[in-house]
Amino acid sequence: MCGAFGRQGEYSEDNRYFRVFTRLTQHSEDHRGTPEAPGRVVTLIERSFWEQLTDQHATANEKTWGMAYRIKPVNIEEVRSYLDLREINGYTIHYTTFHPADATQKPIRTLVYIGTPDNPQFTGPQDSQQLAEHIWRSRGPSGENKEYLFLLEAGLESLNHGSGDEHVQDLASRVRALERSQRQLA
């Protein structure tokens, strides 16, 4: 969702982070995949839940960097309707604290759409190479799943020094290797 609502917002709150982390563990049947061949999209995961599972990426960043938008009151209904439709495929609304990078600033409470582990689109941990191959093959009405992954990687890396995500970077690297391999075969 990085950058999706800058035009509707009064201003953005950037260089802030959540105390959760990201994983591409959410099926996408409506944007980056289809019901027959769902793509994968990112969700935020509470560390306490994830620690109960076996993850191929044993480490996770302590922070997930992001950007929050303060929506103009006149646009709240329009933006909320759009997001409710866009995030319908397994995401639910949650309120969480968004921490400033500058510790002298106060945290803010934000509305976030999260695909929780109890939703039917949540896939749980997957083998990293198999996940990369799945992303490389997937395509939906919003485009190729690999494009989503590359945009996510670039967006996360652009937010702050050290704001990249190891899981996302590893998957993007694996997908690029698959692309190179495919080009060599052609």
Side-chain angles (χ1 to χ4, degrees):
M1 288 180 18
C2 284
F5 295 100
R7 64 180 172 76
Q8 300 287 7
E10 294 172 350
Y11 63 89
S12 64
E13 299 280 350
D14 56 358
N15 293 331
R16 293 178 180 255
Y17 60 88
F18 297 101
R19 290 200 182 278
V20 293
F21 65 102
T22 59
R23 287 294 186 261
L24 275 96
T25 57
Q26 188 76 5
H27 277 148
S28 175
E29 298 179 348
D30 55 351
H31 290 290
R32 297 297 176 159
T34 64
E36 300 78 30
R40 295 294 184 277
V41 290
V42 74
T43 191
L44 300 173
I45 310 240
E46 293 287 341
R47 186 170 302 278
S48 60
F49 172 78
W50 199 258
E51 288 173 347
Q52 299 172 28
L53 303 174
T54 302
D55 187 353
Q56 301 299 320
H57 292 95
T59 61
N61 297 357
E62 289 296 317
K63 304 169 184 174
T64 294
W65 291 89
M67 185 175 290
Y69 293 94
R70 184 176 306 274
I71 306 301
K72 295 175 188 173
V74 68
N75 295 327
I76 288 174
E77 188 174 324
E78 174 191 356
V79 170
R80 184 72 182 270
S81 293
Y82 173 79
L83 285 173
D84 285 348
L85 180 62
R86 187 180 93 171
E87 305 302 329
I88 198 169
N89 196 218
Y91 291 91
T92 53
I93 292 173
H94 300 264
Y95 291 90
T96 190
T97 304
F98 205 38
H99 301 273
D102 177 355
T104 63
Q105 295 179 1
K106 292 182 180 182
I108 59 173
R109 187 170 180 247
T110 57
L111 179 149
V112 182
Y113 288 78
I114 297 177
T116 58
D118 59 350
N119 88 78
Q121 302 302 327
F122 186 80
T123 65
Q126 297 171 282
D127 173 79
S128 300
Q129 187 60 33
Q130 289 176 353
L131 179 55
E133 290 169 8
H134 185 92
I135 290 169
W136 181 67
R137 289 187 310 267
S138 296
R139 178 177 192 78
S142 296
E144 294 179 328
N145 204 175
K146 64 184 177 183
E147 175 192 35
Y148 169 88
L149 176 64
F150 298 152
L151 290 171
L152 177 63
E153 177 190 38
L156 288 171
E157 289 177 356
S158 72
L159 291 172
N160 197 339
H161 175 71
S163 63
D165 183 282
E166 179 185 325
H167 171 70
V168 173
Q169 291 166 339
D170 175 58
L171 288 171
S173 177
R174 289 171 187 266
V175 170
R176 287 186 185 99
L178 289 166
E179 287 185 318
R180 283 190 302 274
S181 176
Q182 182 67 24
R183 281 193 300 268
Q184 289 172 354
L185 293 174

